[in-house]
Amino acid sequence: MRLGLLTACLPGEPLEEIARWAGAHGYAALEVAAWPRRPGRDWEAGHLNVEDFGPAEAERVNALLDRHGLSMSAVAYYENNLHQDPEVRAATHAHLRRCVDAAQLLGVGLVGTFVGRDVTLTTAENLRLAERVLPPLAEYAAARGVRLVIENCPMEGWHPDGYPANLAYSPELWGWMAELGLWLNYDPSHLVWLGIDPIAAIEAHAERILHVQAKDVEVHPDARNRYGVFGQVLDRRPWESGWWRYRVPGHGEVDWPRLIDALRGNGYDGVVSVEHEDPVWSGDPGRVRQGLAIAQAVLAPHIRT
């Protein structure tokens, strides 16, 4: 296994600076963010411009990573592939295909995304929708030697009532995703707050895990006793449950030595990519890098081969 990081936590930093820092601080791989640059959405990282990406750009990016002793684990574009607005959904699919094209040129076999959800439909209706629209995307990727890996984040902030808005959040759905030609980008943090044993999930679905994201979660039982597992209702704010929050590895509930051992024991030998969404170690690039350094110190001793 190798330790990597998802570049989305540093949206304002150029890829060259992220690569220089990562290579000098014990990281071996980058999961490179490829959101389109859109006005008013400065939190979205576009470290690959897949809108205009050709062989010359691929050669430049690969040379940059090589200079810093890094590889690329995946191209990252985590968006709602079942969005209720048909025009938004079509644009998302078009950008995802461009991410696949870029991955092919880069020699990267994985593109990370979400299933998503049409929040105007029931879960059952969304399953049927996904069965129509997602296999062509998986087939497009497979024809180019690329596989789509789906992160198991609930994306509850997309739903007006805070319910799961990414139909990949539960191990119950991972076999269904496999039937659509989709693979798993496994993130244990989401499972913990959902009350799911992340080790059991690895053991039951190891053959579908092609990429791993490392994020921790801090749970406050007293607040859960007040709000319940569905989170705060009065004065609700999107992405804030009131009883849990994401943290860098080592500052939450995940048993990282045991989890990494379970991955290794079940044959996983890919990248463990730190996804930094810790509000304590956020606010400016310096603090984000401090959080990434903490994650590296916690994980590296267990990931070294």
Side-chain angles (χ1 to χ4, degrees), residues 47-283:
H47 294 123
L48 285 181
N49 179 13
V50 300
E51 302 293 329
D52 184 22
F53 198 87
E57 288 76 22
E59 184 177 354
R60 179 187 62 80
V61 170
N62 281 331
L64 165 64
L65 298 179
D66 188 61
R67 282 199 303 274
H68 296 288
L70 300 167
S71 63
M72 189 182 302
S73 66
V75 175
Y77 176 53
Y78 296 95
E79 272 294 353
N80 187 352
N81 283 293
L82 301 182
H83 196 282
Q84 62 270 24
D85 184 325
E87 292 185 4
V88 173
R89 186 192 305 162
T92 299
H93 292 181
H95 190 79
L96 182 61
R97 286 191 291 270
R98 286 191 285 271
C99 288
V100 168
D101 294 340
Q104 180 186 26
L105 289 171
L106 289 160
V108 177
L110 305 176
V111 171
T113 190
F114 290 135
V115 169
R117 178 175 182 161
D118 180 338
V119 298
T120 70
L121 302 178
T122 68
T123 299
E125 290 167 337
N126 269 279
L127 293 172
R128 305 293 84 80
L129 173 62
E131 289 160 5
R132 292 197 306 273
V133 305
L134 295 186
L137 293 172
E139 292 162 7
Y140 184 90
R144 289 154 180 80
V146 175
R147 289 180 283 189
L148 300 180
V149 287
I150 307 298
E151 185 189 349
N152 55 290
C153 179
M155 295 305 291
E156 70 288 346
W158 281 346
H159 195 287
D161 291 320
Y163 300 139
N166 173 35
L167 297 182
Y169 69 96
S170 163
E172 178 190 10
L173 297 166
W174 296 350
W176 168 80
M177 289 197 314
E179 294 174 0
L180 305 187
L182 304 171
W183 300 77
L184 185 60
N185 187 3
Y186 168 85
D187 184 331
S189 65
H190 310 300
L191 299 174
V192 171
W193 73 261
L194 287 168
I196 298 168
D197 180 355
I199 305 298
I202 290 172
E203 293 171 348
H205 299 277
E207 75 283 356
R208 303 304 300 177
I209 299 174
L210 298 186
H211 197 268
V212 171
Q213 287 184 329
K215 186 164 70 266
D216 218 324
V217 62
E218 180 182 18
V219 172
H220 299 279
D222 289 345
R224 183 177 56 203
N225 287 342
R226 172 175 171 78
Y227 299 126
V229 295
F230 296 110
Q232 184 175 354
V233 174
L234 302 177
D235 302 318
R236 184 183 188 93
R237 289 179 290 181
W239 310 109
E240 294 185 18
S241 73
W243 66 270
W244 61 266
R245 61 179 180 173
Y246 294 125
R247 300 300 308 274
V248 294
H251 287 246
E253 309 294 322
V254 177
D255 185 339
W256 292 103
R258 184 166 169 255
L259 185 134
I260 291 168
D261 185 63
L263 287 168
R264 194 186 306 278
N266 282 277
Y268 184 74
D269 62 357
V271 169
V272 177
S273 178
V274 174
E275 184 184 19
H276 184 337
E277 294 183 349
D278 188 328
V280 176
W281 296 104
S282 296

